Amino acid sequence: MSDWSEEILHRDFRIKLKVDRVLFDSETEHQRLKLFENATFGRVLTLDSVTQTTEGDEFIYHEMMAHLPILAHGRAKRVLVIGGGDGGMAEEVLKHKSVEHVTMVEIDAGVVEFSKQYLPNICKGAFDDPRLNLVIADGAQFVAETQDRFDVAIIDSTDPMGPGEVLFTETFYANVKRCLTEGGIIVTQNGVPFLQGGELTGTMRAFGKLFRDASCYLATIPTYVGGPMAMGWGTDDASLRQLPEEELNKRFMAAGLETRYYTPAVHKAAFALPPYVQELIG
Ligand code: SAM
């Protein structure tokens, strides 16, 4: 008799994913980690019963959080990833040959070790790339103390609960800004606006104080239910969000990326926000 995994993230809205086979289910130092197989989405990773990533749709989220800021920046050599324990974000970032260094700061070593073993289709050897500097630490503490500087910061966090809560604070964002080079870009996982509007509003309020250009872009990831997901955008170089599609095309071709979701046209369209999202970001 197959089992069902119920996600308990939203008050009035729940989803269940069919569990064909449980591969792992145990507590780590920080959270309950469960991995199971689902005929449609492949291997599914949940933390504290919240879907983090699946083999089936991870490409959408990882491509839009990695390629969009790196191609918008145009000269990104040093990239910071906060969270991202499954390795899928680092994998997409490391596809850019022009990127010389990636520091990934993940709080839970269990997620990394586990993903290396059970999610090779997502991390694809990223943890063995010599350009990757993996730091097991709280991302908020890391950005408060590091002397390193980065051109792009990607906050691939859990939702604002448990260890991830601190990654949605103004202090954290201000410290990330401190670590950015001039004209550097921060992008954030900001939930699904229709169900998690307050999360986006909070981040945009902080970005509005910290950055000359603060906005968000959208992409729909099937297992992040409730409509399009918002990704926060902050930089002091307001020209980066206004780049013409032709210029993005040139950069995309030069990077020689093979993608299944990201294109320069999708990039531009992702910043076109419907009024209900515009209202949330003020
Ligand atoms: N894409 C997913 C989402 O949108 O929910 C997130 C995926 S990734 C697995 C999230 C990672 O953030 C987890 O591995 C978790 O351990 C890590 N994390 C949570 N809080 C953290 C913190 N304070 N510092 C660093 N990593 C953290």
Side-chain angles (χ1 to χ4, degrees), residues 31 52 61 86 106-107 111 138-139 156-158 163-164 189 224:
Q31 46 216 338
Q52 297 299 307
Y61 171 81
D86 53 76
E106 164 57 55
I107 198 168
V111 176
D138 175 359
D156 179 14
S157 70
T158 44
Q189 181 278 93
Y224 298 162

Side-chain angles (χ1 to χ4, degrees), residues 183-197:
I185 301 172
I186 179 175
V187 295
T188 53
Q189 181 278 93
N190 250 118
V192 172
F194 192 87
L195 295 169
Q196 301 165 295

Side-chain angles (χ1 to χ4, degrees), residues 66 74 109 119 141 146-147 149 206 230 245 259:
L119 296 174
Q141 196 174 344
T146 187
Q147 294 313 311
R149 294 293 176 265
E245 192 175 321
T259 56

Side-chain angles (χ1 to χ4, degrees), residues 68 71-74 233 237-253 262-269 271:
L68 190 144
L71 292 173
H73 187 286
W233 162 278
D237 184 345
S239 71
L240 300 180
R241 193 159 52 96
Q242 311 307 331
L243 286 171
E245 192 175 321
E246 301 68 52
E247 176 55 29
L248 291 170
N249 266 323
K250 260 192 272 162
R251 295 178 186 187
F252 182 57
M253 300 312 285
Y262 177 91
T263 68
V266 167
H267 176 144
K268 294 295 286 177
F271 283 103

Side-chain angles (χ1 to χ4, degrees), residues 59 63 67 92 95 252 256-264:
F59 67 95
E63 288 182 11
H67 305 320
E92 292 295 340
K95 283 181 180 171
F252 182 57
L257 300 169
E258 274 186 35
T259 56
R260 294 177 58 210
Y261 190 88
Y262 177 91
T263 68

Side-chain angles (χ1 to χ4, degrees), residues 29-31 83 105-110 135-139 163:
E29 200 189 327
H30 297 276
Q31 46 216 338
V105 184
E106 164 57 55
I107 198 168
D108 194 332
V135 179
I136 300 297
D138 175 359

